[in-house]
Amino acid sequence: MINFSQAAENNKTPILAQLNTHLDSNQTVLEIGSGSGQHALHFAAQLPHLTWQPSDQGEYFEGLVANIKQSSLSNLLEPIYFDLNDPAWPDELDCVYAANVVHIMPADLLPALFQNPADTLLLYGPYKYGGAFTSDSNADFDLWLKARNSESGIRDIETLLVLAETNGYILTSDTPMPANNQFLVFRRQR
């Protein structure tokens, strides 16, 4: 598998449990930042009632396409090149899912993530609460992220809540996950 991620391998089972809890039948899910496609392949196989749309950009895109081409799952769509700098949201979209993306993407792209047309937004990763990290390892990880790219870093949940409210979402679930991560579920209020 091109661009194999051990973190994606480790967290796919607990995330699957959350997806089973929060997603209804016959929904189309856009995964932002699919990387190797490990989550897309696993979730599409385990959740045949969902249509899974993997996406990525830049250096990861070709590897994602190659990995997904090896699958014969009918509910796993061909990856799309997707950039939050200029998002072209798919026409049929019920849910947006992003795992370990929010802390890597530049902070100025966070508003675009919440400006999607889907009714559900699912985010997995580490977050700060009241400006505090949930663990020492997350504080160290934040320093490492910022050393690589000053625009990245673990985000404050309060920032996400403001973006959610501005775009008609409310946080309906915040579940602690392994390795000091959280699974956040935002639902659009119509």
Side-chain angles (χ1 to χ4, degrees):
M1 175 161 287
I2 300 169
N3 297 323
F4 176 84
S5 166
Q6 189 59 53
E9 197 65 23
N10 294 346
N11 62 34
K12 69 183 185 183
T13 300
I15 292 174
L16 176 62
Q18 292 300 310
L19 295 176
N20 271 319
T21 300
H22 297 288
L23 292 181
D24 300 325
S25 297
N26 304 318
Q27 290 184 313
T28 299
V29 179
L30 170 64
E31 179 181 7
I32 295 177
S34 299
S36 66
Q38 287 165 253
H39 280 182
L41 290 161
H42 183 69
F43 300 152
Q46 298 299 314
L47 303 166
H49 59 283
L50 298 178
T51 300
W52 202 267
Q53 175 64 75
S55 76
D56 217 313
Q57 62 169 335
E59 64 192 69
Y60 296 101
F61 187 69
E62 287 184 25
L64 173 63
V65 170
N67 291 339
I68 297 299
K69 277 187 179 179
Q70 297 179 28
S71 169
S72 61
L73 295 167
S74 62
N75 64 325
L76 181 58
L77 303 177
E78 184 177 325
I80 59 172
Y81 194 92
F82 189 84
D83 186 346
L84 280 169
N85 283 298
D86 185 21
W89 299 103
D91 292 334
E92 299 295 323
L93 183 59
D94 301 300
C95 176
V96 171
Y97 162 80
N100 291 322
V101 169
V102 171
H103 57 274
I104 294 172
M105 63 192 283
D108 64 353
L109 292 181
L110 284 172
L113 182 62
F114 283 86
Q115 292 164 355
N116 74 76
D119 287 334
T120 304
L121 174 61
L122 306 175
L123 302 176
Y124 171 88
Y127 301 97
K128 294 186 288 184
Y129 293 80
F133 295 99
T134 59
S135 69
D136 290 341
S137 63
N138 278 357
D140 293 341
F141 182 46
D142 185 66
L143 291 173
W144 181 83
L145 287 166
K146 289 178 179 172
R148 290 180 63 231
N149 180 347
S150 62
E151 294 296 313
S152 65
I154 296 177
R155 311 300 176 194
D156 288 295
I157 190 73
E158 293 81 8
T159 299
L160 300 184
L161 293 174
V162 168
L163 289 169
E165 182 179 356
T166 301
N167 291 282
Y169 283 107
I170 62 165
L171 180 66
T172 60
S173 180
D174 180 351
T175 304
M177 301 289 280
N180 303 307
N181 289 300
Q182 301 294 126
F183 192 87
L184 308 178
V185 178
F186 295 93
R187 302 274 186 194
R188 191 176 303 282
Q189 302 305 294
R190 301 259 183 216

